[in-house]
Each structure stands twice: as structure tokens, then as C-alpha cells.
Amino acid sequence: MKHRRISIKSIVISLFVLVTLITSSIAIGLQYYHSKEMAREQARAKYQMMAESVSDAVTDVGDDAITAVKYLSHLGAILNTPSKDVIRKVFTSILKDNPTFYSVFYATENNYAYIIINLDSMSDVRRKNNALKQDRWLIIERSADSDGMTQYDSFYDANFNLRKKNKT
């Protein structure tokens, strides 16, 4: 075998390439690791925010339900001899205080129903019930007898002035 000599130039170039490969590999590895950790942290933060938002929404609905039950507890005394004015005042108070509620109704065993709808609760409610812009409340009274079902739809403004009453 012949002695082969390696020139200094080849050694320097080889070491330079080797050091460059090692340095770039470490840099790419660190960047990958930190990017992955940052993405995980952002995902964790977003999930935490979503969980808090859902928790707040559930708490709000629970609070609304508690408020509604408190209002409805006042109806206990009137159930035997219901007064439409008292029921209307209690129900409209519930609907004003709980914008997530669309309507509230009272029904009896003898096929009578008294429904109050908040026309300002959602954008489609007014359109679906053919209400005008000045209408705030829709009161539906349904009763059934031997002649069949009778329904009256009454549209009221914010001050409970009757605007229109339909029989359907």
C-alpha cells in the first residue's frame, strides 16, 4: 500500500462541511421542537378560552333559568283562577329579563293555551309571525271545544297597545 497523504485543504473543507451539517441539523431540530411547543401552547390556550366561553354560556343559561323559576313561582297563587293581566305581566318580565328566551306559555287541562312571544328575541321571529316593526309582543290564545280549535293572535306594541287581532 502506498501512503496516501491527505492535504490540509481537504481536511479543512471536510471539517467545514461536517461542522456546517452538524450546526444546521441542530438549528433545524431546535426550530422544529420550539415550533411544535408553540403550536401546542396556542392550541391549549384556544381550547382553554373555548372552555371558559362554554362555561360562561352554561352559567348564563342556568342563571336565566333560575330567574325564570323565581318569576314563575309567583304564578302558584293564580293557577286556580288565572288572570290574563297578571300572567302577561309576569311572562313579559321573564322575557325582558331573559333575552335568550323566545316565548313563555301557560296551558290548562281543558285545552286552553296562553302564549306570549317576544318579537325582539330573534331576527326571524318577527318575519315568521308576519309582525310589523312597531310590534313588540305577540299573544296567542288557543282554545278547543266541540266545534274545534280556535286561535287568536294579538299584536301589541312596547306599551301593550293592541295593534291587530286575528282569528285563525
Side-chain angles (χ1 to χ4, degrees):
M1 280 180 129
K2 290 184 179 181
H3 289 291
R4 232 173 159 206
R5 292 182 140 208
I6 301 174
S7 69
I8 292 180
K9 186 177 179 183
S10 300
I11 293 174
V12 170
I13 290 174
S14 298
L15 284 174
F16 177 75
V17 169
L18 182 65
V19 170
T20 303
L21 285 174
I22 292 171
T23 305
S24 61
S25 297
I26 292 172
I28 290 170
L30 287 173
Q31 184 174 0
Y32 172 76
Y33 173 77
H34 289 295
S35 295
K36 190 170 135 182
E37 284 302 311
M38 192 165 44
R40 280 185 183 164
E41 188 58 39
Q42 283 182 343
R44 215 175 291 137
K46 281 187 179 183
Y47 289 137
Q48 182 66 31
M49 285 176 25
M50 286 173 42
E52 289 173 4
S53 176
V54 168
S55 174
D56 291 346
V58 168
T59 301
D60 290 345
V61 169
D63 292 345
D64 290 345
I66 290 169
T67 303
V69 168
K70 286 180 183 176
Y71 278 117
L72 293 174
S73 67
H74 298 295
L75 285 177
I78 8 173
L79 289 178
N80 294 332
T81 56
S83 163
K84 290 180 188 178
D85 289 335
V86 173
I87 294 173
R88 184 194 64 169
K89 287 177 185 175
V90 172
F91 283 0
T92 54
S93 294
I94 291 170
L95 293 172
K96 284 179 186 175
D97 291 344
N98 300 289
T100 56
F101 290 171
Y102 154 75
S103 66
V104 181
F105 70 93
Y106 167 79
T108 64
E109 292 175 353
N110 57 355
N111 298 322
Y112 173 78
Y114 186 81
I115 305 162
I116 297 182
I117 298 174
N118 179 1
L119 295 171
D120 289 345
S121 63
M122 293 181 278
S123 59
D124 288 350
V125 173
R126 188 177 305 283
R127 182 182 51 78
K128 286 181 181 178
N129 290 292
N130 298 319
L132 298 179
K133 190 174 185 177
Q134 68 261 26
D135 294 333
R136 172 72 163 93
W137 304 102
L138 169 59
I139 296 180
I140 300 172
E141 291 184 74
R142 291 182 185 156
S143 58
D145 56 19
S146 59
D147 297 334
M149 178 70 77
T150 305
Q151 178 173 315
Y152 291 98
D153 297 344
S154 303
F155 295 87
Y156 292 89
D157 64 11
N159 297 319
F160 269 97
N161 297 314
L162 180 64
R163 187 191 62 79
K164 179 173 84 170
K165 187 171 189 172
N166 296 333
K167 180 179 180 184
T168 54

